Amino acid sequence: MKRTRLHQMFALSALCGAMLLHSVGVQAVTDEEILDDANTTHQIVSNGLGLAGQRYSPLATVNVDTVQQLRPVWALSFGGEKQRGQESQPMIKDGVMYVTASYSRVFAMDARTGKELWQYDARLPDGIMPCCDVINRGVALYGDLVIVGTLDAKLVALNKDTGKVVWRKTVADYKAGYSITAAPIVVKGKLITGVSGGEFGIVGKVEAYNPVNGDLIWTRPTVEGHMGYVWKDGKKIESGISGGEAGKTWPGDLWKTGGAAPWLGGSYDAETDSLLFGTSNPSPWNSHMRPGDNLFSSSRLALNPDDGSIKWHFQTTPHDGWDYDGVNELVSFSYEENGKTVKAAATADRNGYFYVLDRSNGKFIRGFPFADKITWAKGLDKDGRPIYDESNRPGAPGEGKQGSSVFVAPAFLGAKNWMPMAYSQDTGLFYVPVNEWGMDIWNEGVTYKKGAAYLGAGFTIRPLNEDYIGVLKAIDPKTGKEVWRYKNYAPLWGGVLATKGNLVFTGNPEGFLMAFDAKTGKKLYEFQTGSGVLGSPVTWEMDGEQYISVVSGWGGAVPLWGGEVAKRVKDYNQGGMVWTFKLPKEHTL
């Protein structure tokens, strides 16, 4: 009798404890939740709404018939004078939203009301050197931690209930030009991050850390010739040279300052157990200084998450002379062809070509233009290598003189830049935010100096059309066919979301969150947020209702680097807010 009563008391105590934990929202984020994020609707615990990065939701309460009734239910301002560009994706766990803001800030808020729960403001040094605005694209959640990368190239882990710092680790030297702007990801219990800084002659790298304490697990440089390492039992062990030979595709010592920064962050394909990362431009931009393919710049890489070894690579722009990078997200998807399932990965490159690769080995399946005008190359060969038009490579500089200038399309900001596309499992289409612009570009002499810009080039970006620059395009990855397009006057610089409700959401610099019919491209909804929408929209379910959230705040690379294009957006107001929407209850029944 006493034993039974004691067990009942313990059971009641455990139940009350569990209820208390749930009420204050302290449930830990597990590896299983992260791996299954694409299939769950009540929370978002990975960047990309799933590690594959498809940015697709199976929710359909908000659909083509109901989206016109979408209403804002709350908004929270980031406040202060630190507005600038806001490019974050919100994360939601147990009724709490976590989102980052410019200058490496983190906010936690009640997802039902928008009430701020806590704020973390990184104390950044004066000497940070972000090339393309002081943005941040989001956090990683793991256990009881909220983990963010900062502009001074650190990883900071915060207690998710208080915002207090649990651990802080330096990833690289910000004085050499390193920074972190991307959201880290957690794969197989490892915290994975890349670095920014390709404009400063840094050496790109992807690294894995223990998310519990910040200990380094492995490091993989992404420039050919540099040694990778793993840490086992407290010992540093060589894990092989990237590419196997120093300087094989680089002249002289330029591989030592080769760039190739994986600044956007990565995705993960569980079927092949591969981290998928892209790398940036080689340094310097002046391609005449570095004849050769300059591996692994402007490439997509598949890495082993256990030790960081490179499983395969695919270089989209060998010997890049236009700063086309290769960092754009590589999205895993599958399709049926000739009775067989093709395990593919797709990427829309800054160079204007859309690539479909075999994600098990990196082999080229097909490629096609997704930009209206491409002049730097005449096409792709059977292996996906560009067929250059050398007359549209900027000329070599003479002694004390700049080289000949060329006008080339697309511009270096890319036919598509950082802003993530979405893939619909229903239509089989990718929804790609595209920009139609070109540039005058010329080469100049340059010498590497630690912490100084290492370009060796000058440029001016120009619109290709009077009435639009941005174009949201629906693209069939199996045929290369453009199914529909929506033209936007200003450049598109925000992410895309696709849903089971046959909807595609994105935003524009003019300030509108917009929703389109995924099959036809008809615009069905728009809402003015008060500043340009650069963030990536998300949707989730709470209390039986579907919510949609997006971050608003104009800035980013376009007004800083945009040349003639910047004149189109010079009057747009900066901001910093999170907006959250849902349907009135009568429309959710």
Side-chain angles (χ1 to χ4, degrees):
M1 184 71 176
K2 290 183 179 180
R3 181 180 177 85
T4 302
R5 185 179 181 85
L6 188 61
H7 277 220
Q8 288 175 338
M9 290 174 63
F10 276 130
L12 181 61
S13 176
L15 177 62
C16 291
M19 291 175 65
L20 179 61
L21 285 172
H22 180 74
S23 68
V24 298
V26 294
Q27 302 299 306
V29 176
T30 66
D31 291 288
E32 291 75 18
E33 286 179 305
I34 295 171
L35 196 60
D36 197 44
D37 198 35
N39 301 315
T40 56
T41 58
H42 65 285
Q43 60 188 27
I44 300 170
V45 293
S46 67
N47 193 273
L49 282 72
L51 290 174
Q54 292 185 356
R55 298 187 180 272
Y56 169 83
S57 172
L59 289 172
T61 301
V62 180
N63 55 51
V64 292
D65 297 319
T66 62
V67 69
Q68 293 87 351
Q69 302 301 321
L70 202 61
R71 313 285 173 84
V73 291
W74 60 259
L76 179 122
S77 172
F78 297 143
E81 299 176 356
K82 297 179 178 180
Q83 303 287 51
R84 304 292 288 266
Q86 312 294 347
E87 297 184 0
S88 180
Q89 177 209 290
M91 305 276 258
I92 297 96
K93 172 67 174 173
D94 293 332
V96 179
M97 178 182 291
Y98 305 92
V99 67
T100 61
S102 52
Y103 291 96
S104 308
R105 292 175 291 164
V106 184
F107 292 79
M109 60 207 73
D110 187 320
R112 290 177 174 84
T113 66
K115 178 183 178 181
E116 183 179 315
L117 303 177
W118 54 258
Q119 175 183 345
Y120 169 76
D121 195 341
R123 296 181 178 179
L124 299 170
D126 291 335
I128 58 171
M129 290 177 281
C131 85
C132 310
D133 206 4
V134 288
I135 58 91
N136 189 282
R137 299 189 177 98
V139 300
L141 302 180
Y142 191 72
D144 290 326
L145 300 176
V146 178
I147 306 169
V148 64
T150 65
L151 288 167
D152 57 345
K154 289 181 173 63
L155 288 171
V156 182
L158 310 170
N159 180 283
K160 71 183 183 66
D161 297 318
T162 66
K164 300 299 183 183
V165 174
V166 177
W167 58 258
R168 183 187 287 111
K169 296 288 181 177
T170 297
V171 174
D173 181 7
Y174 74 89
K175 294 179 181 179
Y178 286 95
S179 59
I180 300 176
T181 54
I185 61 173
V186 177
V187 173
K188 299 173 69 174
K190 299 177 180 67
L191 178 71
I192 313 295
T193 186
V195 293
S196 303
E199 273 64 56
F200 296 95
I202 56 89
V203 174
K205 60 180 179 177
V206 180
E207 293 187 325
Y209 290 81
N210 184 332
V212 176
N213 56 23
D215 287 348
L216 185 59
I217 298 173
W218 55 254
T219 181
R220 171 51 52 191
T222 49
V223 177
E224 174 190 80
H226 293 267
M227 180 65 70
Y229 298 90
V230 296
W231 276 256
K232 292 183 179 179
D233 301 322
K235 297 180 180 180
K236 181 179 178 181
I237 303 170
E238 293 183 352
S239 61
I241 299 175
S242 299
E245 184 179 335
K248 184 176 180 181
T249 61
W250 293 81
D253 288 339
L254 264 72
W255 60 280
K256 295 180 179 179
T257 51
W263 57 261
L264 184 55
S267 59
Y268 174 69
D269 174 41
E271 290 186 309
T272 62
D273 191 25
S274 299
L275 295 168
L276 303 175
F277 270 81
T279 61
S280 78
N281 56 286
S283 292
W285 287 19
N286 181 349
S287 62
H288 298 279
M289 293 177 61
R290 43 172 176 77
D293 283 357
N294 314 134
L295 291 174
F296 292 98
S297 69
S298 301
S299 299
R300 304 313 193 279
L301 304 177
L303 305 178
N304 184 331
D306 296 327
D307 61 9
S309 56
I310 297 175
K311 301 167 76 170
W312 55 256
H313 77 275
F314 182 85
Q315 192 172 36
T316 48
T317 313
H319 196 213
D320 186 349
W322 306 269
D323 185 40
Y324 284 146
D325 275 33
V327 299
N328 290 4
E329 71 281 6
L330 193 55
V331 180
S332 299
F333 73 111
S334 297
Y335 63 91
E336 299 297 318
E337 188 170 72
N338 299 324
K340 296 182 179 180
T341 298
V342 179
K343 295 180 180 180
T347 188
D349 199 272
R350 274 165 64 170
N351 68 21
Y353 288 98
F354 193 102
Y355 299 83
V356 180
L357 308 177
D358 183 329
R359 67 178 188 265
S360 66
N361 55 25
K363 298 296 184 183
F364 177 72
I365 296 176
R366 69 181 62 88
F368 46 84
F370 71 95
D372 292 345
K373 186 173 185 178
I374 299 175
T375 64
W376 66 277
K378 300 175 183 178
L380 304 176
D381 69 14
K382 63 180 179 61
D383 297 317
R385 189 180 178 89
I387 304 167
Y388 293 110
D389 184 343
E390 289 296 342
S391 66
N392 282 325
R393 183 183 293 272
E399 188 158 338
K401 297 181 180 179
Q402 70 180 42
S404 58
S405 176
V406 296
F407 182 81
V408 63
F412 77 89
L413 286 179
K416 177 187 170 300
N417 200 279
W418 82 272
M419 52 279 192
M421 61 187 181
Y423 173 75
S424 171
Q425 298 176 12
D426 306 309
T427 65
L429 302 177
F430 279 91
Y431 300 93
V432 187
V434 183
N435 289 309
E436 302 289 355
W437 45 23
M439 63 179 172
D440 299 302
I441 183 170
W442 57 92
N443 286 150
E444 303 166 344
V446 66
T447 301
Y448 173 75
K449 180 181 179 182
K450 180 181 176 180
Y454 189 44
L455 299 184
F459 47 82
T460 301
I461 298 180
R462 303 183 187 279
L464 295 178
N465 304 284
E466 289 295 326
D467 55 336
Y468 68 95
I469 297 174
V471 190
L472 180 64
K473 298 184 180 182
I475 294 174
D476 187 336
K478 295 190 290 185
T479 64
K481 178 184 177 183
E482 180 186 304
V483 178
W484 57 259
R485 65 167 55 189
Y486 170 81
K487 298 177 181 178
N488 197 77
Y489 178 72
L492 293 179
W493 210 252
V496 185
L497 167 71
T499 76
K500 185 75 173 179
N502 191 37
L503 293 173
V504 174
F505 289 89
T506 195
N508 63 15
E510 290 89 335
F512 289 98
L513 172 68
M514 303 176 290
F516 300 86
D517 186 308
K519 296 178 181 176
T520 67
K522 180 181 179 181
K523 185 161 68 172
L524 302 174
Y525 175 83
E526 63 179 21
F527 178 85
Q528 176 56 250
T529 67
S531 185
V533 177
L534 308 183
S536 296
V538 297
T539 186
W540 81 99
E541 192 172 34
M542 184 171 60
D543 304 328
E545 297 182 279
Q546 183 179 351
Y547 288 77
I548 292 161
S549 289
V550 71
V551 174
S552 168
W554 174 238
V558 174
L560 295 177
W561 295 76
E564 293 297 311
V565 169
K567 295 178 181 179
R568 289 199 183 185
V569 298
K570 64 181 177 63
D571 295 325
Y572 292 172
N573 291 322
Q574 291 183 322
M577 295 187 74
V578 188
W579 287 89
T580 294
F581 306 79
K582 73 179 183 66
L583 298 173
K585 287 202 172 182
E586 63 267 23
H587 292 278
T588 64
L589 301 178

